[in-house]
Amino acid sequence: MKSLPINEIVEKVTEKIYEQEPSLLQKFGERGKQKCTEDNHYHMKYLHTSYLLQNETVFSDYALWLNSLLTSRGMKTKHIIDNFILIEETLLELAGDVDEPSKSYLSYLQAANEVLQGAEKNDSITDEK
């Protein structure tokens, strides 16, 4: 099993986020970009922990905790989902989906996004009331 290029994955994901949302740089500056990089390192650490424990719930629970933290600060669940999708795409691009831990990471990201999509639907129902 070869090790994943974590730093390269994080750098590419951060670049893609800022390419897709150039207004983020104006809104949050370089400090925001640094925080985005840090956040993506945390995402990768939680993916790795889930892999070591062979437990996707660890990452899904982290995603729900992260969602509650970030939405309380004005972000949308969609931002987290989009971030996780970018990690999936970058992981596939750089590591593929054949070997472990990449295969498991992709599974954990998809499971977390399903949980987040459920949370997003519940939030929109609550917002309508």
Side-chain angles (χ1 to χ4, degrees):
M1 171 178 69
K2 63 181 181 179
S3 64
L4 293 173
I6 301 301
N7 289 332
E8 189 177 355
I9 291 169
V10 167
E11 286 175 29
K12 282 190 174 277
V13 168
T14 302
E15 286 173 21
K16 288 178 182 181
I17 288 170
Y18 278 80
E19 283 173 11
Q20 290 179 359
E21 294 277 340
S23 63
L24 290 174
L25 194 55
Q26 289 177 314
K27 189 173 183 179
F28 300 109
E30 280 300 320
R31 178 149 164 64
K33 196 170 186 178
Q34 289 171 340
K35 288 303 236 178
C36 182
T37 300
E38 287 175 22
D39 288 348
N40 278 288
H41 273 288
Y42 284 122
H43 303 337
M44 297 306 293
K45 285 178 183 178
Y46 271 89
L47 282 168
H48 187 66
T49 300
S50 294
Y51 173 71
L52 291 175
L53 297 172
Q54 292 295 293
N55 185 341
E56 79 178 25
T57 305
V58 171
F59 191 74
S60 293
D61 287 349
Y62 163 73
L64 287 171
W65 169 81
L66 180 66
N67 185 53
S68 67
L69 177 72
L70 295 180
T71 54
S72 73
R73 295 180 177 171
M75 290 193 69
K76 303 279 186 213
T77 302
K78 182 179 181 343
H79 293 126
I80 302 166
I81 292 170
D82 291 346
N83 192 154
F84 288 174
I85 290 170
L86 288 173
I87 293 173
E88 285 179 48
E89 291 171 356
T90 306
L91 195 55
L92 283 168
E93 176 187 329
L94 297 177
D97 65 348
V98 180
D99 295 327
E100 292 295 341
S102 182
K103 195 178 197 176
S104 291
Y105 284 19
L106 291 166
S107 172
Y108 302 155
L109 286 159
Q110 291 164 359
N113 272 345
E114 287 177 20
V115 169
L116 289 172
Q117 287 166 348
E120 188 177 40
K121 286 178 187 170
N122 288 340
D123 287 346
S124 64
I125 290 169
T126 306
D127 290 345
E128 291 173 6
K129 291 183 178 180

